[in-house]
Amino acid sequence: MGKVLVLYDSASGNTGKMAELVAKGAAKVPGIEVRLKSIDEATPEDVLWCDGLAVGSPTNMGVLSWKMKRFWDETMSDLWGKLDGKIACAFSSSGGWGGGAELACMSLLTVLMNFGFLVFGVTDYVGKKFTLHYGAVVAGEPRTDSEIAACEKLGERLAQWVAVFFDGRKDLHPVLTRQEEEDEDDE
């Protein structure tokens, strides 16, 4: 059974709401165990436990929050080189559109890559002109259908990749599944 950890920091509660939606999306994939942890309660054992990790942070001057950075710098430093091959993605909430949430996702992904995580973006559109290439991003809390769908899609895609790569569930591969659906529509 694949295991997904949704790890987040949230100053105002907005990123926490995103984390709940990401976890809800991950739980849509059968056979995946999902845990939701704030940065204040997470331990290195939580990160060791998971196969897939969704990391969320408020946007702090265009990058990840100091608490999230400190967690990886100090709490996780002994695990550097021991997490290679786990799958990860990012999400962030900013104070307003143009506040740097995509840059915050990129800074999260950079930290994760330094620890050996395989990171990904999502090419699916969840609304008109609304996608999550670098991770799910919102301004404030997720309110619109597209923002909610982006958070859930990120968690679902992470769980799908975990199911494919860790549980051998090729039937859940998102690209192959989409191709099969298109082939059925052509018939």
Side-chain angles (χ1 to χ4, degrees):
M1 174 188 291
K3 300 175 290 273
V4 167
L5 174 63
V6 180
L7 175 67
Y8 69 95
D9 180 25
S10 190
S12 66
N14 294 336
T15 310
K17 290 175 184 172
M18 291 180 76
E20 291 170 5
L21 293 167
V22 171
K24 180 180 176 186
K28 291 179 182 180
V29 177
I32 297 294
E33 184 179 348
V34 181
R35 289 185 187 171
L36 178 65
K37 294 263 183 159
S38 76
I39 201 73
D40 297 321
E41 62 184 349
T43 66
E45 289 74 28
D46 292 313
V47 179
L48 282 170
W49 167 84
C50 73
D51 302 312
L53 176 66
V55 179
S57 172
T59 302
N60 186 346
M61 294 186 229
V63 295
L64 69 160
S65 70
W66 67 269
K67 284 170 79 175
M68 184 63 74
K69 180 76 165 75
R70 185 180 72 199
F71 178 80
W72 290 99
D73 283 349
E74 296 176 4
T75 306
M76 295 300 297
S77 63
D78 289 342
L79 291 182
W80 188 87
K82 297 179 180 150
L83 302 170
D84 290 7
K86 291 177 183 274
I87 302 169
C89 57
F91 58 98
S92 185
S93 173
S94 61
W97 290 111
E102 286 184 333
L103 290 172
C105 284
M106 293 300 293
S107 68
L108 288 164
L109 296 174
T110 299
V111 169
L112 294 167
M113 285 186 286
N114 273 274
F115 273 85
F117 283 87
L118 306 173
V119 300
F120 67 92
V122 179
T123 57
D124 301 37
Y125 281 83
V126 294
K128 186 175 181 178
K129 297 184 178 181
F130 202 99
T131 188
L132 48 155
H133 295 308
Y134 308 106
V137 296
V138 300
E141 69 178 276
R143 292 183 194 90
T144 69
D145 290 343
S146 294
E147 293 167 345
I148 291 166
C151 295
E152 290 183 6
K153 176 58 79 176
L154 185 69
E156 182 180 17
R157 184 57 48 86
L158 174 60
Q160 288 171 329
W161 287 131
V162 166
V164 168
F165 290 109
F166 288 91
D167 295 342
R169 296 282 316 274
K170 292 189 193 265
D171 60 304
L172 291 174
H173 192 292
V175 176
L176 298 177
T177 304
R178 186 171 38 240
Q179 184 61 47
E180 288 173 5
E181 291 170 0
E182 289 172 5
D183 290 346
E184 286 175 10
D185 290 342
D186 290 342
E187 293 176 359

